Amino acid sequence: MLWLAIRVPRLALEIHSRAYPESLPLALAEHAGANATVLLCNAAAHDCGVRPGMSIASASALRGNLCVVGRDLPAERCAVERIAASLLSFTPQVSLAGPAELVLEIGASLVLFRGIGRLRRAIAGNLGKLGYSFRMACAPTPQAALWFARAGITACITRADELPASLKGVPVTVLDSPEPAAALQRFGIKSIGDCAALPRAGLARRLGQHLLDEIDRALGLLPDPRPTYALPDHFDSRLSLPAPATQTGILLIAGKRLCIELCSYLSASSQGAQQLHWTLHHERRNTTRLVMDLASISRDADHLLVLLRERLASTTLEHPVIALGLACTRRQPLSFATRALLQEQVSQSAAADRLLDRLRARLGPAAIKGLEQQMDHRPEHAWRVCSLGTGRKTPAAMSNGVRRPLWLLEKPGMLQERQSVPWHEGPLTLIAGPERIECGWWDRQPAIRDYFIARDARNAVLWIYRERIPGGRWFLHGYFS
Amino acid sequence: MQHRPPSLDEILRRPDIWRGQSCAAVRSDSISTGHAELDAVLPGGGWPTGSLTEIFVERPGIGELHLLMPAASRLTHQGRWLALVAPPYVPYAPALASCGIDLQRVLLVRSANSRDQSWACEQLLDSGQCGVVLMWPEAAEQRDLRRLQHKAENGTAVSVLYRPRRAPPCPAAALRLHVSKRESHTVVQVLKSRGSTVANPVRLDLQAALTRRPPVLAEPWTTTPLPAFLQTAC
């Protein structure tokens, strides 16, 4: 067994800062009131002189547009769970350890990822794309890995017999609960090595058995079962923005984080997304909802982000957005063959589907259509638009021998009749016809017409008809282009 | 691997190199139009792929769409799209089918916004999925047209820009045609052709089939095989 511990020390701040450009000076306080103190601040705020421990009032005086966010414990818990879900694509055994800590069993994944170095780099890349800073450490027991991560030691110990020696220098502040750690420091015990050298019976009497058990678990002398994090059935994630956003560029930063979260979730569950629901939350306004149907199931974060960008480009944001949500309502298993293609080479049909997704995202599904023939003699009913790719194959016999124009007028245009000759910018010469069409009496849209092919004074060829009723008029219905 | 410096012949064959005394060789990638007379006057012997073709049309109904149909028919049967962006009228499905177009490969983009139209054109040209892209941009600016030409160069589609008669020509287009009608013949005049001389107008009889007597329609009950259960009953 080999365990990797991940600690996200600045989680409370980063759940806010990752949704916004880094240039925004941001400080985290216990609550949003003016008498609170700064707990954490980002680099932009640090550059203006804001430091942890400062009161919010003096920090705001240093930088007028400092954005102060209050601590949001439920959001932190959600964020850790979403990190866990995204790490499930690296190993099936992920456990939540502390408020901002996770442990992963990676011994079984080393072959797949070709070594511990590559696996660590892959995990680090994933966390970086999610927008978190982190500390990582490897050890044969989860407790020892956690200790290293808490101490900020990037250890990578793979053998159990190296463990006691390497734990010696670790400070006692890494212990799970702060009380025994404080007591040990009062005794003058600074490191785990010193602590382990003390008589066990006396230590247990003074500070409790828990301390000894923790040290034994770290050394692998006691079993340390960890509950495995189970992937939730639904993906529904929400990212609050530290400051209201009106520009799509800012929304895309948050959108990118959500897309990456979704795609790691999908990859952990071997699925692809078919429909996405984006929600833009506004202050005291109704939520804007954007629904996206994908032409083919996908879990490519870049593609999903392109779709969001096109969709936002065609949406006008009337009110500032305070939070962005993404839910994946329709998912489907993504087969292994498709996954291999997505990673290596994009097949022809996948590229076509991406094109259609992009067009639909920007122009709306109604603007992108296919054409289909219908079994009807009435020209206006012999065709219709359909969704792309769903059109029925038409029997070849249907289009044999009929002479139809390439352009049809959506609404037939009435023609004048002068000296019993139809007139369209000049007299029309009938060159073929009539083709009698009389049908549709059953659905109250009857067509009782004689169609002619006519040439106008400037040699354009038109498709015209005359209503075959008393006093019937002439109409222009198409162009032989 | 060390690259051999290109020989002088290779350099001179490049389409973007002109020699003063003669016309440069044009790009060889083109697709036969299906009209032999037209192929003869077009550079490369057909519709150029990977560059913009501009067709000025005097009026609708003179065979301007028919010019493209044989090539489009072949390309749709190869599984590539025929895209129509903002067509002025309804592209009539039965007529397209009788021209041999695979209707399942027809993509219709309808948008009233001219910015969206040119954006869609760019996406279609850029994707490499389309065999033929026919465009009727509403209010195309020169800047948009130049971008379209640039995108067309990336792709392999026959890219045709239909322009009304009085529209200002797009300087970026590699081929510019003017289509008119004289009596029963469609007249195609090459106005500009990058890398070759301009030929005489071509007369095509595209609409001859219209005045011919239609072939006797096969009776449906003789061509359609009876359902199996009826055949056994007979």
Side-chain angles (χ1 to χ4, degrees):
Chain A
M1 301 277 264
L2 186 61
W3 294 83
L4 179 80
I6 296 170
R7 180 175 158 77
V8 188
R10 295 161 66 80
L11 180 82
L13 178 74
E14 277 166 352
I15 57 167
H16 301 285
S17 67
R18 71 197 197 104
Y20 223 79
E22 286 166 7
S23 53
L24 175 85
L26 188 65
L28 178 84
E30 196 63 56
H31 52 87
N35 55 351
T37 53
V38 174
L39 293 178
L40 286 169
C41 63
N42 70 352
H46 192 271
D47 289 346
C48 325
V50 179
R51 297 284 180 273
M54 221 176 228
S55 77
I56 292 298
S58 46
S60 303
L62 282 170
R63 184 70 195 251
N65 64 347
L66 181 74
C67 176
V68 179
V69 285
R71 211 163 161 192
D72 188 353
L73 290 172
E76 284 175 37
R77 257 198 308 281
C78 283
V80 177
E81 287 192 12
R82 277 186 250 138
I83 296 175
S86 78
L87 292 173
L88 278 174
S89 50
F90 298 101
T91 167
Q93 164 106 47
V94 176
S95 327
L96 309 180
E101 291 164 341
L102 304 119
V103 278
L104 291 68
E105 203 287 304
I106 54 165
S109 309
L110 293 180
V111 175
L112 178 63
F113 286 90
R114 288 176 289 163
I116 191 163
R118 284 168 194 263
L119 178 58
R120 283 176 67 134
R121 277 197 292 281
I123 292 175
N126 184 278
L127 289 170
K129 276 194 272 179
L130 288 175
Y132 293 111
S133 60
F134 53 90
R135 286 178 188 162
M136 251 194 232
C138 280
T141 62
Q143 192 67 51
L146 272 176
W147 279 359
F148 285 129
R150 284 176 197 160
I153 302 169
T154 45
C156 185
I157 292 151
T158 50
R159 286 169 46 189
D161 51 357
E162 292 172 6
L163 205 50
S166 52
L167 280 177
K168 269 201 179 108
V170 176
V172 288
T173 47
V174 299
L175 288 172
D176 278 352
S177 48
E179 294 87 17
L184 284 169
Q185 280 176 313
R186 278 200 305 277
F187 302 161
I189 305 291
K190 292 277 183 297
S191 69
I192 296 289
D194 297 345
C195 180
L198 294 173
R200 291 175 62 92
L203 202 59
R205 206 169 50 245
R206 285 161 201 265
L207 298 175
Q209 185 63 31
H210 292 300
L211 173 65
L212 285 180
D213 288 350
E214 193 181 335
I215 295 173
D216 286 347
R217 282 202 302 273
L219 291 168
L221 305 174
L222 273 184
D224 189 3
R226 298 265 169 178
T228 306
Y229 175 76
L231 202 65
D233 287 340
H234 305 286
F235 182 87
D236 191 350
S237 184
R238 182 186 150 130
L239 208 51
S240 357
L241 310 182
T246 45
Q247 295 167 351
T248 49
I250 292 171
L251 289 181
L252 284 175
I253 294 176
K256 186 178 176 190
R257 308 286 193 210
L258 289 174
C259 282
I260 291 165
E261 268 178 22
L262 171 65
C263 291
S264 335
Y265 170 87
L266 291 171
S267 131
S269 57
S270 313
Q271 287 178 320
Q274 203 172 29
Q275 192 182 47
L276 302 182
H277 276 258
W278 290 95
T279 41
L280 312 180
H281 300 268
H282 310 286
E283 210 159 9
R284 293 195 293 274
R285 302 269 176 189
N286 285 343
T287 308
T288 310
R289 289 173 200 285
L290 308 173
V291 180
M292 279 181 202
D293 285 300
L294 304 184
S296 68
I297 53 174
S298 164
R299 60 159 175 259
D300 180 350
D302 294 335
H303 177 55
L304 300 184
L305 189 67
V306 166
L307 299 187
L308 176 67
R309 193 177 66 211
E310 299 304 352
R311 188 62 181 270
L312 287 176
S314 63
T315 315
T316 42
L317 288 177
E318 286 171 7
H319 310 291
V321 179
I322 55 162
L324 186 68
L326 170 63
C328 182
T329 37
R330 285 224 300 269
R331 303 187 302 270
Q332 275 195 2
L334 191 55
S335 66
F336 189 74
T338 318
R339 189 168 57 191
L341 282 170
L342 279 178
Q343 280 164 357
E344 284 149 26
Q345 55 174 31
V346 179
S347 72
Q348 187 88 354
S349 74
D353 286 341
R354 273 155 194 250
L355 169 69
L356 297 183
D357 280 344
R358 275 203 305 277
L359 291 171
R360 286 200 189 113
R362 168 81 172 247
L363 307 174
I368 311 298
K369 287 291 181 189
L371 286 176
E372 184 179 59
Q373 251 183 298
Q374 297 218 97
M375 298 284 220
D376 201 310
H377 288 290
R378 285 167 292 180
E380 60 271 35
H381 289 105
W383 74 286
R384 61 169 195 177
V385 291
C386 59
S387 353
L388 264 182
T390 61
R392 284 168 297 171
K393 263 257 187 272
T394 356
M398 246 179 88
S399 46
N400 271 353
V402 288
R403 293 171 298 186
R404 292 285 178 262
L406 280 166
W407 284 144
L408 191 77
L409 268 58
E410 198 109 31
K411 201 165 164 270
M414 218 211 319
L415 297 177
Q416 287 177 332
E417 187 177 322
R418 296 188 190 169
Q419 294 138 18
S420 17
V421 172
W423 196 273
H424 178 67
E425 300 171 17
L428 297 180
T429 324
L430 305 183
I431 54 177
E435 180 187 346
R436 182 154 295 178
I437 291 177
E438 180 164 348
C439 81
W441 47 267
W442 51 85
D443 58 5
R444 291 174 195 280
Q445 294 172 328
I448 306 168
R449 305 165 184 168
D450 279 339
Y451 275 89
F452 295 89
I453 298 171
R455 184 187 297 134
D456 74 2
R458 288 195 284 167
N459 294 315
V461 183
L462 320 175
W463 204 39
I464 61 173
Y465 71 83
R466 184 178 199 183
E467 296 170 317
R468 210 165 57 75
I469 47 172
R473 295 155 302 171
W474 289 93
F475 287 90
L476 170 63
H477 208 178
Y479 293 103
F480 285 89
S481 280
Chain B
M1 208 182 101
Q2 203 173 4
H3 282 289
R4 191 172 52 85
S7 70
L8 184 61
D9 275 350
E10 279 171 353
I11 293 173
L12 289 180
R13 270 204 299 276
R14 285 174 53 130
D16 50 349
I17 288 195
W18 265 76
R19 299 182 73 184
Q21 69 272 42
S22 70
C23 290
V26 288
R27 308 170 55 128
S28 54
D29 8 349
S30 60
I31 289 171
S32 166
T33 61
H35 311 285
E37 306 93 321
L38 190 57
D39 282 352
V41 295
L42 292 182
W47 297 118
T49 57
S51 64
L52 204 59
T53 302
E54 205 178 10
I55 299 185
F56 282 86
V57 182
E58 259 190 1
R59 52 217 316 267
I62 56 175
E64 72 276 15
L65 213 50
H66 230 99
L67 289 174
L68 266 299
M69 285 302 123
S73 158
R74 254 175 297 132
L75 287 165
T76 52
H77 284 285
Q78 288 167 17
R80 302 183 66 187
W81 295 95
L82 161 63
L84 300 122
V85 183
Y89 305 101
V90 176
Y92 194 40
L96 291 172
S98 68
C99 287
I101 306 277
D102 180 1
L103 284 180
Q104 291 184 317
R105 287 278 151 195
V106 175
L107 193 163
L108 200 58
V109 179
R110 298 183 298 182
S111 165
N113 182 336
S114 67
R115 264 187 60 212
D116 283 348
Q117 284 170 11
S118 52
W119 176 85
C121 292
E122 285 171 30
Q123 296 291 319
L124 290 165
L125 293 174
D126 213 17
S127 69
Q129 298 302 309
C130 295
V132 182
V133 183
L134 306 181
M135 300 167 274
W136 289 264
E138 211 162 69
E141 289 179 24
Q142 294 294 343
R143 192 171 39 119
D144 297 334
L145 297 179
R146 262 197 301 280
R147 229 175 29 233
L148 284 184
Q149 160 67 12
H150 180 68
K151 295 285 181 190
E153 277 169 12
N154 295 345
T156 54
V158 176
S159 331
V160 178
L161 203 60
Y162 277 101
R163 308 293 304 278
R165 192 159 48 111
R166 287 203 182 79
C170 161
L175 177 66
R176 187 177 305 137
L177 304 180
H178 178 266
V179 180
S180 58
K181 189 86 184 281
R182 294 280 167 277
E183 284 148 14
S184 64
H185 285 74
T186 303
V187 180
V188 181
Q189 162 89 60
V190 181
L191 297 178
K192 171 192 173 183
S193 154
R194 192 188 285 167
S196 72
T197 47
V198 170
N200 288 328
V202 184
R203 287 160 59 88
L204 301 169
D205 196 1
L206 299 175
Q207 294 165 338
L210 294 179
T211 44
R212 225 177 281 141
R213 268 183 69 81
V216 178
L217 282 174
E219 305 295 350
W221 52 84
T222 57
T223 52
T224 321
L226 284 172
F229 68 93
L230 278 180
Q231 281 175 353
T232 48
C234 290

